[in-house]
Amino acid sequence: MSDTAVPAEAPSSTPYSLAHEVARRRTFAIISHPDAGKTTLTEKLLLFGGAINLAGQVKAKGERRNTRSDWMKIERDRGISVVTSVMTFEFDGLVFNLLDTPGHEDFSEDTYRTLTAVDSAVMVIDAAKGIEARTRKLFEVCRLRDIPIITFINKMDRESRDTFDLLDEIEKTLALDTTPMTWPVGRGRDFLGTYDVLDGGVRLLEGGGAKTGAAEQISIEELGKRHANLDVAAVKEELELATEACKPFDLEAFREGHLTPVYFGSALRNFGVGDLLQGLGRYAPPPRAQESNLRKIAADEPKMSAFVFKIQANMDPNHRDRIAFARLCSGKLTRGMKAKLVRTGKAMPLSSPQFFFAQDRSVADEAFAGDVVGIPNHGTLRIGDTLTEGEDVTFIGVPSFAPEIVRRVRLGDAMKAKKLKEALQQMSEEGVVQVFRPRDGAPALVGVVGPLQLDVLKARLEAEYQLPVDFEVSEFQLARWISSDDRKKLDTFIANNGSSIADDVDGDPVYLAKNEFYLGYTRDRAEGIVFSEIKDVK
Ligand code: GDP
């Protein structure tokens, strides 16, 4: 295996050919439990590239927030990050697109959707805590799509759990093989650095010039000389045991999502971050082929195609602008090109796509498969949309998740019902909430994963549409998408359950249930009907 996956080739008409541009891209996200160190690691990764750019926003704690519009106040007041952003940096000839995700679990739907736009993920684990609830949940979402995972065990400068224990926990709770690429020497206060399992040297926490992966390494014997208290024999024994007990790294198993390479470090001390970045460059896959309704689209196909995985409103409070974040799946996007929005069949000029390339917004004139561009629009684009220059494909796999909270929207002013309907349609197309319209004509229901989503909805309806609303508890608590191979069976089920059926934003039927018991009861009797918690994952 070569050091990097980038093919060496002569420049063609553009600086590099499409295949080369695609091969040098790594589009990834970081998954972790709050407090494990995602923000700190992100900052350190960006330092390597030198380029910090802000699509949407980085989780800045401070002045940068004062340009935000009203509903962002919620975020400001509570000190949480609601918005997903994209950060691009270059390192070692590679282009890294880091798709940030909201830290707060109430916005996990956003995170799930963002994970459909990456080719790999870094799983950050707190060395003292191991696998935590949210890490596990996000890992499961990655597994749905076989996204390869690189593990970074963080906070090694603090008291941590036994290394074998941590690896064992990953293997058992996630059913994922592990291969340590580095191994900690000492722990907690006695943590000295990491042993490079492939090269056999030790990189020191102190004075090791941790910034680059190629920082100085010394042998264990040398380490012993420098640290008289170090039990060299014990360290060697542990390393031997580790090499014997662990599976060798297997690129294919990693790329298929069965094995995770593990790096140890401290984001705060900027230690081990270089190893991690090098690992991402060497092993993480370049843009993958994307599944569509017709066929798989390879990233280096010449025709541009992209799908929208995120919509962000109010980046500029003075304009009602909405930025649709689209992940390029194939080809090259150039400013001014026209693409077809497959859902409507209409051409859409990409006159001012925003590239989050290099230092700031709106820089480059072209982007390639694997990149994320922001497309300003006034509500034309919605989540899951496909834009293409080629054939009419629709990318699949941008999922919706059954809401955990369902509420009925109560509008103070009945005259504004039509306006509310439009507003809710827009909000659901943006992915702020899910909207369910009961077929019996009852007022709309909204579904969310976390209660803060309701706060955002309320604030935005008020600020942008002058619609004061409240939410009341509905008789329904659960929503499931229903489908059947047998159209007749589905029609009969819908006819028989009239008042419990609603349409989602796309007009797909949803069954609403009072509680788990009712759901189970109905499901047991509805032969041939599939009740799903997730919509549109292949
Ligand atoms: P996030 O919630 O996952 O984004 O976590 P943050 O990056 O905000 O980190 C949470 C806390 O852990 C902060 O106080 C960080 O300074 C601290 N932290 C992050 N990485 C390390 C580390 O490697 N070592 C130590 N000792 N603290 C860390």
Side-chain angles (χ1 to χ4, degrees):
M1 189 173 44
S2 71
D3 259 9
T4 70
V6 181
E9 61 171 72
S12 57
S13 55
T14 49
Y16 292 118
S17 72
L18 176 62
H20 184 89
E21 287 293 355
V22 169
R24 74 191 191 104
R25 271 159 172 79
R26 301 288 181 275
T27 302
F28 71 105
I30 300 179
I31 60 171
S32 63
H33 193 83
D35 253 19
K38 187 177 73 155
T39 311
T40 313
L41 180 63
T42 299
E43 285 163 9
K44 295 297 167 4
L45 284 170
L46 292 176
L47 276 178
F48 275 90
I52 299 189
N53 101 80
L54 315 168
Q57 59 162 146
V58 181
K59 186 164 131 188
K61 292 164 182 143
E63 354 58 76
R64 207 184 290 127
R65 298 191 164 214
N66 55 24
T67 56
R68 299 286 125 61
S69 60
D70 266 0
W71 68 271
M72 297 295 276
K73 201 167 163 294
I74 295 174
E75 196 187 0
R76 193 167 57 224
D77 292 349
R78 303 184 188 192
I80 52 169
S81 169
V82 176
V83 180
T84 303
S85 52
V86 185
M87 290 155 277
T88 301
F89 58 96
E90 284 201 51
F91 181 70
D92 224 6
L94 300 173
V95 178
F96 293 87
N97 295 308
L98 168 52
L99 276 53
D100 191 20
T101 51
H104 198 288
E105 69 175 330
D106 279 12
F107 299 97
S108 46
E109 256 196 291
D110 248 9
T111 305
Y112 301 159
R113 282 192 293 253
T114 297
L115 292 176
T116 66
V118 301
D119 302 302
S120 59
V122 170
M123 174 166 75
V124 179
I125 294 174
D126 184 326
K129 295 187 175 152
I131 302 279
E132 296 175 87
R134 201 157 143 68
T135 323
R136 187 187 322 205
K137 175 101 197 206
L138 293 172
F139 172 78
E140 294 304 337
V141 176
C142 289
R143 173 160 278 169
L144 276 175
R145 306 189 68 239
D146 301 323
I147 296 174
I149 307 274
I150 297 183
T151 302
F152 186 73
I153 301 196
N154 190 31
K155 306 199 186 181
M156 287 307 298
D157 56 312
R158 290 234 291 249
E159 275 317 309
S160 58
R161 282 172 43 188
D162 177 74
T163 312
F164 287 105
D165 250 17
L166 284 165
L167 296 178
D168 195 49
E169 187 181 61
I170 297 173
E171 301 224 342
K172 295 233 167 76
T173 58
L174 305 183
L176 183 66
D177 289 338
T178 59
T179 298
M181 308 303 274
T182 60
W183 192 271
V185 179
R187 297 212 312 273
R189 214 174 280 179
D190 301 322
F191 176 62
L192 295 174
T194 51
Y195 174 77
D196 187 322
V197 175
L198 293 181
D199 299 355
V202 177
R203 187 164 300 133
L204 297 179
L205 178 65
E206 300 295 347
K211 185 152 163 50
T212 67
E216 184 207 359
Q217 293 193 1
I218 60 170
S219 66
I220 296 172
E221 286 74 19
E222 174 62 26
L223 187 70
K225 279 187 209 149
R226 295 192 197 176
H227 295 269
N229 298 340
L230 187 73
D231 184 345
V232 174
V235 170
K236 279 190 166 168
E237 198 180 324
E238 183 175 320
L239 289 173
E240 259 165 44
L241 192 60
T243 340
E244 270 169 34
C246 298
K247 292 196 175 56
F249 181 66
D250 175 345
L251 186 64
E252 201 176 329
F254 161 63
R255 294 251 174 116
E256 286 170 359
H258 303 314
L259 177 147
T260 181
V262 182
Y263 295 86
F264 293 84
S266 162
L268 190 68
R269 305 279 296 270
N270 199 1
F271 183 79
V273 180
D275 294 320
L276 173 69
L277 193 53
Q278 212 167 53
L280 264 172
R282 282 185 189 169
Y283 309 126
R288 56 157 73 184
Q290 298 277 344
E291 205 73 61
S292 80
N293 59 337
L294 297 181
R295 62 184 183 87
K296 266 195 170 176
I297 309 287
D300 57 3
E301 289 185 27
K303 301 273 190 195
M304 191 285 295
S305 67
F307 70 87
V308 174
F309 65 94
K310 161 88 194 165
I311 299 215
Q312 190 170 312
N314 298 338
M315 285 174 73
D316 177 352
N318 298 320
H319 301 95
R320 279 239 190 125
D321 72 334
R322 302 194 149 82
I323 306 280
F325 288 91
R327 142 103 196 201
L328 264 65
C329 300
S330 62
K332 175 172 125 179
L333 188 149
T334 21
R335 190 198 305 273
M337 78 185 293
K338 270 207 174 101
K340 187 185 202 177
L341 171 55
V342 176
R343 178 171 48 80
T344 62
K346 294 208 174 107
M348 185 164 182
L350 303 176
S351 43
S352 50
Q354 300 184 350
F355 301 108
F356 305 110
F357 209 27
Q359 272 72 4
D360 58 287
R361 215 159 124 179
S362 75
V363 175
D365 283 319
E366 49 187 32
F368 297 89
D371 289 340
V372 170
V373 296
I375 305 169
N377 70 104
H378 296 283
T380 324
L381 292 173
R382 58 158 94 163
I383 284 176
D385 271 345
T386 298
L387 286 164
T388 174
E389 219 195 346
E391 66 205 276
D392 282 359
V393 296
T394 300
F395 289 107
I396 55 177
V398 180
S400 297
F401 293 82
E404 280 160 33
I405 300 170
V406 176
R407 290 283 182 271
R408 202 169 296 272
V409 184
R410 202 182 58 208
L411 181 63
D413 183 353
M415 301 294 286
K416 292 188 170 166
K418 186 162 171 261
K419 197 169 176 190
L420 177 66
K421 191 174 175 192
E422 285 167 16
L424 286 178
Q425 178 74 17
Q426 185 65 48
M427 294 294 110
S428 63
E429 287 176 9
E430 279 182 31
V432 176
V433 287
Q434 294 181 44
V435 174
F436 304 109
R437 302 189 179 287
R439 292 232 174 138
D440 66 2
L445 295 158
V446 291
V448 293
V449 173
L452 281 176
Q453 276 178 283
L454 288 176
D455 294 357
V456 169
L457 176 66
K458 187 176 159 68
R460 287 193 54 187
L461 287 177
E462 227 166 281
E464 295 169 39
Y465 299 87
Q466 294 77 49
L467 287 168
V469 299
D470 277 311
F471 303 108
E472 40 186 51
V473 175
S474 127
E475 66 273 37
F476 301 115
Q477 285 177 28
L478 298 170
R480 295 288 181 271
W481 284 278
I482 46 174
S483 59
S484 176
D485 292 338
D486 184 340
R487 181 77 227 179
K488 256 201 190 141
K489 278 190 179 156
L490 186 63
D491 289 345
T492 311
F493 178 82
I494 289 174
N496 291 343
N497 289 277
S499 60
S500 301
I501 306 292
D503 290 310
D504 74 0
V505 63
D506 304 313
D508 289 328
V510 171
Y511 175 75
L512 301 163
K514 283 194 177 70
N515 53 37
E516 283 289 349
F517 176 80
Y518 271 86
L519 178 64
Y521 184 87
T522 310
R523 189 166 35 202
D524 290 348
R525 281 156 190 76
E527 189 246 318
I529 307 289
V530 179
F531 293 74
S532 337
E533 280 187 68
I534 299 175
K535 182 175 122 170
D536 199 11
V537 155
K538 60 177 160 62

